[in-house]
Amino acid sequence: MATPVMDKAQATATADYITATFRIRRFNPEESDAVIWEDFQITIDPKERVLDALHKIKWDTDGTLTFRRSCAHGICGSDAMRINGRNRLACKTLIKDINPDKPITVEPIKGLTVLKDLVVDMEPFFQAFRDVMPFLVTEGNEPTRERLQSAEDRERFDDTTKCILCAACTSSCPVFWNDGQYFGPAAIVNAHRFIFDSRDEAGEQRLEILNDKDGVWRCRTTFNCTDACPRGIEVTKAIQEVKRALITRRF
Ligand code: FES
Protein backbone atom coordinates (compact mmCIF):
# COMPACT_ATOMS: atom_id res chain seq x y z
CA MET A 1 0.00 0.00 0.00
CA ALA A 2 1.33 3.41 -0.93
CA THR A 3 2.52 5.63 1.95
CA PRO A 4 0.25 8.67 2.24
CA VAL A 5 2.11 11.84 1.35
CA MET A 6 1.59 14.86 3.64
CA ASP A 7 1.22 18.23 2.03
CA LYS A 8 3.03 21.22 3.56
CA ALA A 9 -0.02 22.37 5.53
CA GLN A 10 -0.49 18.91 7.08
CA ALA A 11 3.22 18.65 7.93
CA THR A 12 3.07 22.05 9.60
CA ALA A 13 0.01 21.07 11.61
CA THR A 14 1.69 17.93 12.96
CA ALA A 15 5.07 19.54 13.85
CA ASP A 16 5.98 19.54 17.55
CA TYR A 17 6.29 23.24 18.15
CA ILE A 18 8.01 24.60 21.20
CA THR A 19 8.37 28.06 22.67
CA ALA A 20 12.03 29.05 22.68
CA THR A 21 13.72 32.17 23.97
CA PHE A 22 16.44 33.75 21.86
CA ARG A 23 18.65 36.14 23.82
CA ILE A 24 20.32 38.31 21.19
CA ARG A 25 23.12 40.82 21.63
CA ARG A 26 21.97 44.09 20.10
CA PHE A 27 24.03 47.08 19.08
CA ASN A 28 22.96 49.97 16.87
CA PRO A 29 25.56 52.78 16.78
CA GLU A 30 23.05 55.07 15.06
CA GLU A 31 20.94 55.02 18.20
CA SER A 32 23.30 54.44 21.11
CA ASP A 33 26.77 53.28 22.09
CA ALA A 34 25.23 50.81 24.50
CA VAL A 35 25.14 47.08 23.93
CA ILE A 36 21.99 45.37 25.18
CA TRP A 37 20.73 41.81 25.33
CA GLU A 38 17.18 41.42 24.12
CA ASP A 39 14.95 38.39 24.58
CA PHE A 40 12.60 37.17 21.86
CA GLN A 41 10.15 34.37 22.55
CA ILE A 42 9.05 32.51 19.47
CA THR A 43 7.06 29.38 18.69
CA ILE A 44 9.01 27.17 16.37
CA ASP A 45 9.64 23.59 15.31
CA PRO A 46 12.87 22.53 17.10
CA LYS A 47 13.95 20.75 13.94
CA GLU A 48 14.34 24.16 12.33
CA ARG A 49 17.64 26.02 12.36
CA VAL A 50 18.81 29.05 14.28
CA LEU A 51 18.77 30.94 10.98
CA ASP A 52 15.05 30.16 10.62
CA ALA A 53 14.47 31.53 14.13
CA LEU A 54 16.35 34.73 13.28
CA HIS A 55 14.28 35.11 10.11
CA LYS A 56 11.10 34.60 12.11
CA ILE A 57 12.14 37.28 14.60
CA LYS A 58 13.15 39.70 11.86
CA TRP A 59 10.09 39.15 9.68
CA ASP A 60 7.43 38.88 12.40
CA THR A 61 8.70 40.86 15.39
CA ASP A 62 11.61 43.24 14.84
CA GLY A 63 12.62 44.21 11.33
CA THR A 64 15.67 46.07 12.63
CA LEU A 65 17.43 42.87 13.71
CA THR A 66 20.53 42.74 11.51
CA PHE A 67 22.56 39.71 10.48
CA ARG A 68 24.27 38.36 7.37
CA ARG A 69 23.18 35.29 5.48
CA SER A 70 23.00 34.28 1.85
CA CYS A 71 22.96 30.64 0.78
CA ALA A 72 21.28 29.24 3.92
CA HIS A 73 22.99 25.91 3.23
CA GLY A 74 26.48 26.08 4.74
CA ILE A 75 28.26 27.14 1.57
CA CYS A 76 28.69 30.92 1.51
CA GLY A 77 30.05 31.27 5.07
CA SER A 78 28.24 34.54 5.78
CA ASP A 79 26.26 33.59 8.90
CA ALA A 80 28.95 32.56 11.40
CA MET A 81 27.94 33.75 14.88
CA ARG A 82 28.38 32.77 18.51
CA ILE A 83 25.47 30.58 19.51
CA ASN A 84 25.40 29.54 23.16
CA GLY A 85 29.00 30.72 23.46
CA ARG A 86 30.34 28.73 20.54
CA ASN A 87 31.06 29.73 16.94
CA ARG A 88 28.66 28.07 14.52
CA LEU A 89 26.85 28.70 11.26
CA ALA A 90 23.26 29.69 12.04
CA CYS A 91 22.09 27.84 8.92
CA LYS A 92 23.69 24.58 10.06
CA THR A 93 22.60 24.64 13.69
CA LEU A 94 19.36 22.89 14.58
CA ILE A 95 17.48 24.37 17.52
CA LYS A 96 16.90 20.93 19.05
CA ASP A 97 20.68 20.39 19.24
CA ILE A 98 21.41 23.42 21.43
CA ASN A 99 19.14 22.88 24.44
CA PRO A 100 16.14 25.09 23.65
CA ASP A 101 14.83 24.58 27.24
CA LYS A 102 17.10 27.45 28.25
CA PRO A 103 17.48 30.86 26.58
CA ILE A 104 19.63 30.49 23.46
CA THR A 105 22.24 33.22 23.31
CA VAL A 106 23.21 34.65 19.93
CA GLU A 107 26.00 37.18 19.54
CA PRO A 108 28.49 38.29 16.89
CA ILE A 109 31.79 36.47 16.38
CA LYS A 110 34.61 37.89 18.51
CA GLY A 111 37.75 39.84 17.63
CA LEU A 112 36.23 41.88 14.79
CA THR A 113 34.51 45.26 15.16
CA VAL A 114 30.75 44.98 15.50
CA LEU A 115 28.95 47.20 12.98
CA LYS A 116 25.40 46.41 14.00
CA ASP A 117 23.77 43.57 15.96
CA LEU A 118 25.31 40.35 14.57
CA VAL A 119 27.22 41.99 11.71
CA VAL A 120 30.98 42.50 12.10
CA ASP A 121 33.54 44.27 9.93
CA MET A 122 35.14 41.40 8.00
CA GLU A 123 37.73 43.56 6.23
CA PRO A 124 40.73 42.74 8.54
CA PHE A 125 39.88 39.06 8.11
CA PHE A 126 39.78 39.31 4.31
CA GLN A 127 42.95 41.44 4.28
CA ALA A 128 44.86 38.62 6.02
CA PHE A 129 43.40 36.21 3.45
CA ARG A 130 44.57 38.40 0.56
CA ASP A 131 48.01 38.80 2.16
CA VAL A 132 48.83 35.09 1.84
CA MET A 133 48.28 35.16 -1.94
CA PRO A 134 45.32 32.77 -2.15
CA PHE A 135 45.77 31.95 -5.83
CA LEU A 136 47.88 29.62 -7.95
CA VAL A 137 51.25 31.11 -8.95
CA THR A 138 53.10 29.60 -11.88
CA GLU A 139 55.90 31.14 -13.90
CA GLY A 140 56.83 30.41 -17.47
CA ASN A 141 56.33 27.03 -19.09
CA GLU A 142 52.77 27.95 -19.99
CA PRO A 143 50.98 24.69 -20.60
CA THR A 144 49.02 24.19 -23.75
CA ARG A 145 46.67 21.96 -21.78
CA GLU A 146 45.58 21.84 -18.12
CA ARG A 147 48.27 21.43 -15.47
CA LEU A 148 48.09 17.80 -14.50
CA GLN A 149 48.32 16.56 -10.93
CA SER A 150 48.28 13.07 -9.48
CA ALA A 151 45.52 11.97 -7.15
CA GLU A 152 48.13 11.70 -4.34
CA ASP A 153 49.34 15.26 -4.93
CA ARG A 154 45.76 16.52 -4.95
CA GLU A 155 45.04 14.65 -1.73
CA ARG A 156 47.88 16.51 0.00
CA PHE A 157 45.85 19.70 0.35
CA ASP A 158 42.32 18.36 -0.03
CA ASP A 159 41.26 19.21 3.52
CA THR A 160 42.16 22.89 3.27
CA THR A 161 40.22 23.36 0.01
CA LYS A 162 37.02 23.07 2.05
CA CYS A 163 37.34 26.51 3.68
CA ILE A 164 34.32 28.76 3.11
CA LEU A 165 35.88 31.87 4.75
CA CYS A 166 33.21 32.11 7.43
CA ALA A 167 35.79 33.27 10.03
CA ALA A 168 34.48 30.84 12.65
CA CYS A 169 38.05 29.59 13.21
CA THR A 170 39.86 32.93 13.28
CA SER A 171 37.28 34.54 15.54
CA SER A 172 37.48 31.64 18.01
CA CYS A 173 41.25 32.08 18.45
CA PRO A 174 42.40 33.75 21.71
CA VAL A 175 45.54 35.04 20.00
CA PHE A 176 43.40 36.81 17.40
CA TRP A 177 41.14 38.27 20.13
CA ASN A 178 44.22 39.70 21.79
CA ASP A 179 45.15 42.31 19.19
CA GLY A 180 43.68 41.28 15.84
CA GLN A 181 47.13 41.49 14.21
CA TYR A 182 47.69 37.73 13.98
CA PHE A 183 47.01 36.40 10.46
CA GLY A 184 44.66 33.90 12.02
CA PRO A 185 43.80 30.28 11.25
CA ALA A 186 41.71 30.92 8.12
CA ALA A 187 44.52 32.81 6.33
CA ILE A 188 46.99 30.04 7.23
CA VAL A 189 44.56 27.35 6.05
CA ASN A 190 44.29 29.13 2.70
CA ALA A 191 48.06 29.52 2.48
CA HIS A 192 48.34 25.77 3.20
CA ARG A 193 45.96 25.04 0.33
CA PHE A 194 48.49 26.58 -2.13
CA ILE A 195 51.82 25.84 -0.37
CA PHE A 196 51.14 22.11 -0.69
CA ASP A 197 49.74 22.29 -4.23
CA SER A 198 52.31 20.59 -6.50
CA ARG A 199 51.44 22.97 -9.36
CA ASP A 200 52.17 26.14 -7.37
CA GLU A 201 55.54 27.93 -7.41
CA ALA A 202 55.15 30.52 -4.66
CA GLY A 203 55.33 28.28 -1.59
CA GLU A 204 58.57 29.90 -0.35
CA GLN A 205 57.04 33.34 -0.72
CA ARG A 206 53.96 32.39 1.28
CA LEU A 207 56.10 30.77 3.97
CA GLU A 208 58.11 33.98 4.32
CA ILE A 209 54.89 35.97 4.66
CA LEU A 210 53.82 33.66 7.49
CA ASN A 211 57.27 33.78 9.12
CA ASP A 212 56.31 37.30 10.23
CA LYS A 213 55.92 38.24 13.92
CA ASP A 214 52.15 38.13 13.34
CA GLY A 215 52.39 34.92 11.37
CA VAL A 216 52.14 31.23 12.05
CA TRP A 217 54.39 31.17 15.14
CA ARG A 218 51.78 33.01 17.16
CA CYS A 219 49.55 29.92 17.11
CA ARG A 220 49.33 28.47 20.63
CA THR A 221 47.75 25.18 19.51
CA THR A 222 44.57 25.63 21.53
CA PHE A 223 42.49 23.71 18.95
CA ASN A 224 39.64 26.27 19.25
CA CYS A 225 39.86 26.71 15.49
CA THR A 226 39.50 23.00 14.77
CA ASP A 227 36.50 22.78 17.11
CA ALA A 228 34.87 25.81 15.48
CA CYS A 229 35.27 24.88 11.81
CA PRO A 230 31.82 24.04 10.39
CA ARG A 231 33.48 22.19 7.50
CA GLY A 232 35.41 19.82 9.74
CA ILE A 233 38.81 21.02 8.51
CA GLU A 234 41.69 19.93 10.73
CA VAL A 235 42.77 23.54 11.10
CA THR A 236 45.35 23.08 13.86
CA LYS A 237 46.95 20.23 11.93
CA ALA A 238 47.21 22.45 8.83
CA ILE A 239 48.87 25.19 10.91
CA GLN A 240 51.35 22.64 12.31
CA GLU A 241 52.17 21.49 8.78
CA VAL A 242 52.92 25.05 7.72
CA LYS A 243 55.18 25.49 10.79
CA ARG A 244 56.99 22.28 9.90
CA ALA A 245 57.41 23.39 6.27
CA LEU A 246 58.96 26.62 7.54
CA ILE A 247 61.57 24.64 9.46
CA THR A 248 62.28 21.92 6.91
CA ARG A 249 61.53 23.92 3.75
CA ARG A 250 59.98 20.75 2.39
CA PHE A 251 56.48 20.94 1.03
S1 FES B 1 23.99 31.34 4.99
FE1 FES B 1 25.59 30.63 3.70
S2 FES B 1 26.78 29.42 5.08
FE2 FES B 1 25.04 29.93 6.27
Side-chain angles (χ1 to χ4, degrees):
M1 196 171 110
T3 309
V5 177
M6 273 195 288
D7 65 22
K8 197 174 173 194
Q10 287 171 317
T12 302
T14 55
D16 292 324
Y17 282 88
I18 59 166
T19 300
T21 301
F22 282 80
R23 183 162 293 165
I24 303 178
R25 192 179 191 273
R26 307 293 307 270
F27 172 62
N28 182 355
E30 289 177 2
E31 288 185 354
S32 161
D33 290 339
V35 169
I36 59 165
W37 288 87
E38 192 170 2
D39 282 1
F40 296 90
Q41 275 205 335
I42 56 169
T43 301
I44 194 162
D45 182 342
K47 294 190 290 302
E48 298 221 66
R49 307 158 304 171
V50 171
L51 181 62
D52 300 313
L54 294 176
H55 279 150
K56 199 169 168 52
I57 293 166
K58 184 171 179 72
W59 293 337
D60 299 347
T61 309
D62 184 345
T64 70
L65 179 64
T66 306
F67 52 93
R68 287 194 182 103
R69 50 90 179 100
S70 182
C71 72
H73 291 285
I75 301 299
C76 74
S78 62
D79 64 341
M81 50 190 78
R82 263 172 97 77
I83 300 168
N84 280 351
R86 189 180 146 197
N87 284 6
R88 310 170 199 249
L89 294 180
C91 67
K92 297 288 284 182
T93 305
L94 298 184
I95 294 167
K96 71 182 178 62
D97 292 339
I98 50 169
N99 188 11
D101 297 337
K102 293 184 177 172
I104 296 163
T105 60
V106 184
E107 54 191 311
I109 49 177
K110 290 173 72 173
L112 293 160
T113 304
V114 179
L115 300 177
K116 188 180 178 193
D117 293 340
L118 304 174
V119 173
V120 298
D121 178 9
M122 294 285 283
E123 182 48 29
F125 172 82
F126 286 124
Q127 185 58 54
F129 170 67
R130 290 192 289 267
D131 285 347
V132 299
M133 305 163 56
F135 40 82
L136 201 64
V137 178
T138 59
E139 301 214 351
N141 189 28
E142 295 299 322
T144 51
R145 297 168 51 186
E146 69 270 32
R147 293 175 192 275
L148 297 180
Q149 186 170 53
S150 70
E152 292 73 28
D153 284 346
R154 174 62 178 75
E155 180 65 25
R156 181 68 189 87
F157 61 94
D158 185 65
D159 198 33
T160 46
T161 63
K162 297 177 197 157
C163 178
I164 55 172
L165 294 173
C166 66
C169 61
T170 294
S171 63
S172 71
C173 173
V175 179
F176 186 76
W177 298 338
N178 204 21
D179 61 12
Q181 300 300 308
Y182 171 41
F183 274 83
I188 301 170
V189 157
N190 282 280
H192 179 288
R193 180 257 171 271
F194 289 99
I195 289 168
F196 293 96
D197 187 330
S198 59
R199 302 164 299 178
D200 184 78
E201 292 168 20
E204 286 285 354
Q205 216 175 322
R206 290 193 192 84
L207 286 175
E208 277 319 311
I209 291 167
L210 291 173
N211 207 11
D212 183 83
K213 66 177 172 45
D214 293 317
V216 72
W217 303 112
R218 292 196 65 188
C219 169
R220 292 290 174 266
T221 326
T222 58
F223 283 88
N224 283 20
C225 49
T226 301
D227 289 345
C229 179
R231 304 286 298 194
I233 299 171
E234 293 187 89
V235 182
T236 313
K237 182 178 172 209
I239 295 172
Q240 294 302 102
E241 288 180 353
V242 172
K243 285 180 179 173
R244 200 171 307 126
L246 256 169
I247 294 168
T248 62
R249 297 289 165 164
R250 286 175 43 208
F251 46 89

